Amino acid sequence: MTVRPRELSHTVASFATRTPTLPPATHTNSYALGSRQVLLVEPATPYEDEQRAWIEWARGLASSGRTPVAIVLTHHHVDHVGGVDVLSRELGLPVWAHAETATRVDVPVARRLHDGDVLDLAGPAPERWRVLHTPGHAPGHVCLHDEDEGVVVVGDMVASVGTILIAPGDGDMTVYLAQLDRLAGLGARVALPAHGEPIDEPAALFRHYIAHRLMREAKVLAALAKAGGGSADELLPDAYDDVPKVMWPFAMLSMLAHLEKLERDGRVRTQGPRYIPAS
Ligand SMILES: [Zn+2]
């Protein structure tokens, strides 16, 4: 049973709801940022019982002097915006998101968030959350960074439960790796992911994610070199021989994102459905 709500600090609370997310994760964390004016991040759940609980939580913030002023979307994926319509309507709150997210959701977005924007919240002392546009997992993905407290809300950039899928279309492996490197450089004290527990000293995890993806890229290249080329179906068993077969449909998407990057890097060529080493 997930404990909720949780008061994580004097400026951050979390509330996890059940969502149709990628196993083994089962929940998405919403966050209430601010000690007086509050941003509600991740209106995630599409389920009615969970939406009722979320609304009760949001309304209950008033008992500790907190007033929600907006709902913020980290990105458009279904396990992050499943409740945005109902929750924004019930609470009478505007929705804020990056333009690339705004075009992918069915609700009006009142404020478009840009990289570098500072969201000022009135509190006992001023509280400031800086918007970081961090595409790679999704085109409009944003993180929110409280530089004074060293806290960064990271959405689906990393997770402490489950894995982050980089799939062709929404995802871009080159950009994702660059944004992970940027997050590692923030020197944050704690990262708050959409799935799983808060992450202390998150730079190590960001760097671990980069190393893991580069390890996979090397395995894809090695499989390609060994076979002298092949279709995605032919390459997958070798490139993901350490991954359980039940995960292979996801692995396939991830491998295609790696191949896209490798082609861009000039290390792979395509010939019809076949991938060929370029060097
Ligand atoms: Zn996502």
Side-chain angles (χ1 to χ4, degrees), residues 21 74-80 137-138 141 155-157 164-165 170 195:
T21 187
T74 62
H75 65 298
H76 71 283
H77 288 159
V78 61
D79 56 324
H80 296 259
H137 170 70
H141 195 288
D156 266 358
M157 292 302 286
I164 299 300
L165 183 62
D170 277 352
H195 307 290

Side-chain angles (χ1 to χ4, degrees), residues 220-239 252 255-256 259 263 267-278:
V220 172
L221 273 178
L224 204 60
K226 197 161 98 188
S231 69
D233 283 332
E234 288 162 352
L235 297 170
L236 185 82
D238 195 11
M252 176 57 85
M255 185 177 73
L256 292 173
L259 286 164
E263 199 180 345
R267 307 187 68 180
V268 167
R269 285 187 297 119
T270 53
Q271 207 173 63
R274 285 170 55 80
Y275 295 90
I276 296 162

Side-chain angles (χ1 to χ4, degrees), residues 172-174 177 213-225 235 239-240 254-270 275-279:
D172 183 312
M173 193 65 78
T174 308
L177 293 176
R213 298 293 166 150
L214 292 178
M215 177 281 285
R216 184 62 59 192
E217 179 178 296
K219 276 183 74 81
V220 172
L221 273 178
L224 204 60
L235 297 170
Y240 287 81
S254 184
M255 185 177 73
L256 292 173
H258 279 295
L259 286 164
E260 235 175 50
K261 173 180 180 292
L262 288 166
E263 199 180 345
R264 197 181 299 142
D265 293 346
R267 307 187 68 180
V268 167
R269 285 187 297 119
T270 53
Y275 295 90
I276 296 162
S279 48

